[in-house]
Amino acid sequence: MIQVAITGHGGPSRLQARTVPIPEPVLGQVRVAVRAAGVNFADILVRQGVYPGAPKPPCVVGHEIAGVVDGVGEGVDPVWIGREVLALTDYGGYAEYHVLDAHRALPKPEGLSFEAAAALPLNYVTAWVLLVVMGSLRDDQIVLVQNAGGGVGLAAVDVARHIGARTLGTASSRKHAFLLDRGLERAFDYGEPGWRERVMEVTGGRGVDLVIDPLGPKSWKASLGLLAPTGRLGMFGISDLAAAGLRARLHLAAAMVRAPRYSATRLVTGNRGVFGCNIHQMYAQRGKLNAWLGQILRGVADGWVRPHVDRCFDLANAGQAHEYIEARRNIGKVILRPGMNPR
Ligand SMILES: NC(=O)c1ccc[n+]([C@@H]2O[C@H](COP(=O)([O-])OP(=O)(O)OC[C@H]3O[C@@H](n4cnc5c(N)ncnc54)[C@H](OP(=O)(O)O)[C@@H]3O)[C@@H](O)[C@H]2O)c1
């Protein structure tokens, strides 16, 4: 089978397709013939060598797949074969086949394409944890979604609208019309000076109740200043570092030195909260993950979960998919599909 491995830290050319044996499922596992695999921004940071705790190259990234079960290991009922499933994966998604514990494969909703199904697991679970589980967002509150035009960002807009909260978001200006069409109340271009002042104006000077921020330490510090009393800041990414390209590792060190130190006294006197979220670190917490995914799958059935696939690339061209995202051309999800290009 074809899998795409990161062969060393660096640019998109470090993603190389290689032929390896098809993996065999063992005790308790199923094998999924992958029809679609999600590309996540974290994959770019792993390739650049700045993602904390990532495996060293050569390694295969990819945290979400959708496909068809085509093999079962010992102890798994053969009735699984032929089932259409989606799953969060512990790396390894950039491949034609993936083996995983059967209890991690959830039924793909009927009527959802494999591409849309692969756009669900990581983006929507992340948004759910940030807004519902940790962010405690309510229908009388305002959330600011930083990087609202990305995969997690669009998912967060869906979750916030489901809750009934007011939604503000940041993105490159060319994405604003799309975001407003999706139901975002106000969009701000975070590349333009003065946008934070406009957020304060829109909220009547009071600030927002929740900011979710994947940009990195400099932005987290500024986001804290946008919180109303009892407001919360959810930190969940370091996208800013990708702009540093091959110097990213130096920038990571510098960014961590500059990372805000949250003064307990200032949080107490300001009535503000700060939390972090990393879904991959939750991989062992299967019960929680499956419960959250269950909420998302119910949301598909109820119609408020609307995964948006921007573009599909052939699995073997994963480097082009990374280039596309790094050039900020995506709105929502980028997907890899095995066998799009005839070999
Ligand atoms: N903690 C977790 O569990 C978790 C889970 C999933 C994702 N994340 C994080 O959430 C963030 C978004 O992830 P995603 O997969 O949804 O990706 P994504 O949003 O699709 O990422 C692409 C978009 O990010 C924006 N961006 C901001 N800084 C950028 C930069 N330096 N270079 C290129 N683009 C930049 C661009 O949008 P604009 O043109 O609008 O700027 C770009 O189109 C990432 O930091 C990711 O690591 C964290």
Side-chain angles (χ1 to χ4, degrees):
M1 70 161 186
I2 297 292
Q3 66 172 202
V4 174
I6 294 175
T7 54
H9 293 148
S13 66
R14 296 302 181 106
L15 285 164
Q16 295 284 332
R18 60 188 188 186
T19 304
V20 297
I22 295 175
E24 289 301 329
V26 296
L27 182 68
Q29 290 185 326
V30 295
R31 182 176 61 209
V32 179
V34 176
R35 297 285 176 78
V39 179
N40 289 284
F41 205 84
D43 306 344
I44 291 166
L45 299 173
V46 173
R47 197 203 71 222
Q48 292 185 336
V50 291
Y51 193 84
K56 295 204 179 340
C59 64
V60 179
V61 288
H63 286 304
E64 53 199 351
I65 56 167
V68 182
V69 175
D70 83 332
V72 295
E74 195 188 327
V76 181
D77 192 330
V79 74
W80 274 85
I81 291 176
R83 281 188 187 164
E84 297 183 346
V85 296
L86 57 83
L88 271 173
T89 56
D90 186 16
Y91 291 95
Y94 288 19
E96 286 184 313
Y97 294 89
H98 187 84
V99 292
L100 76 170
D101 291 341
H103 54 67
R104 293 190 183 275
L106 299 178
K108 178 180 85 63
E110 274 181 36
L112 209 59
S113 67
F114 286 107
E115 293 81 359
L120 282 181
L122 187 61
N123 288 169
Y124 277 88
V125 164
T126 305
W128 186 263
V129 171
L130 286 165
L131 269 58
V132 177
V133 179
M134 300 185 81
S136 304
L137 187 66
R138 293 197 320 257
D139 61 1
D140 58 349
Q141 296 189 330
I142 308 174
V143 60
L144 172 66
V145 178
Q146 294 265 32
N147 187 15
V152 176
L154 287 187
V157 172
D158 275 356
V159 173
R161 293 183 76 237
H162 172 61
I163 292 168
R166 286 181 60 194
T167 52
L168 312 180
T170 58
S172 300
S173 52
R174 74 169 192 85
K175 300 175 183 175
H176 289 191
F178 179 90
L179 286 167
L180 298 177
D181 206 42
R182 291 276 291 194
L184 185 77
E185 180 184 324
R186 284 289 290 267
F188 302 88
D189 186 342
Y190 46 17
E192 279 182 6
W195 70 267
R196 290 189 182 86
E197 287 74 11
R198 286 198 291 286
V199 168
M200 294 308 283
E201 279 165 29
V202 166
T203 60
R206 104 184 234 288
V208 300
D209 301 288
L210 176 65
V211 183
I212 62 164
D213 191 336
L215 298 174
K218 200 171 155 202
S219 180
W220 300 338
K221 201 170 181 175
S223 289
L224 194 62
L226 295 175
L227 294 180
T230 73
R232 292 83 64 200
L233 164 64
M235 305 168 293
F236 69 107
I238 46 174
S239 295
D240 276 348
L241 284 186
L246 297 181
R247 290 169 289 114
R249 257 180 288 182
L250 284 175
H251 283 250
L252 174 65
M256 288 310 153
V257 169
R258 285 198 306 269
R261 306 272 183 269
Y262 299 107
S263 146
T265 312
R266 286 183 64 190
L267 291 177
V268 171
T269 54
N271 287 290
R272 289 179 177 85
V274 176
F275 64 90
C277 159
N278 185 325
I279 299 302
H280 186 248
Q281 296 298 329
M282 296 291 292
Y283 197 73
Q285 313 264 332
R286 173 171 57 96
K288 284 187 175 175
L289 280 179
N290 277 2
W292 297 330
L293 274 166
Q295 299 278 359
I296 301 308
L297 293 178
R298 267 192 290 283
V300 174
D302 293 344
W304 62 264
V305 167
R306 305 168 296 162
H308 174 74
V309 176
D310 175 294
R311 190 162 162 188
C312 297
F313 289 84
D314 186 77
L315 171 66
N317 297 335
Q320 290 175 12
H322 279 210
E323 279 170 10
Y324 184 75
I325 294 173
E326 284 173 83
R328 297 176 182 254
R329 291 175 64 192
N330 67 305
I331 302 182
K333 198 70 187 173
V334 173
I335 292 289
L336 300 176
R337 270 185 19 210
M340 255 175 91
N341 293 344
R343 286 201 285 276

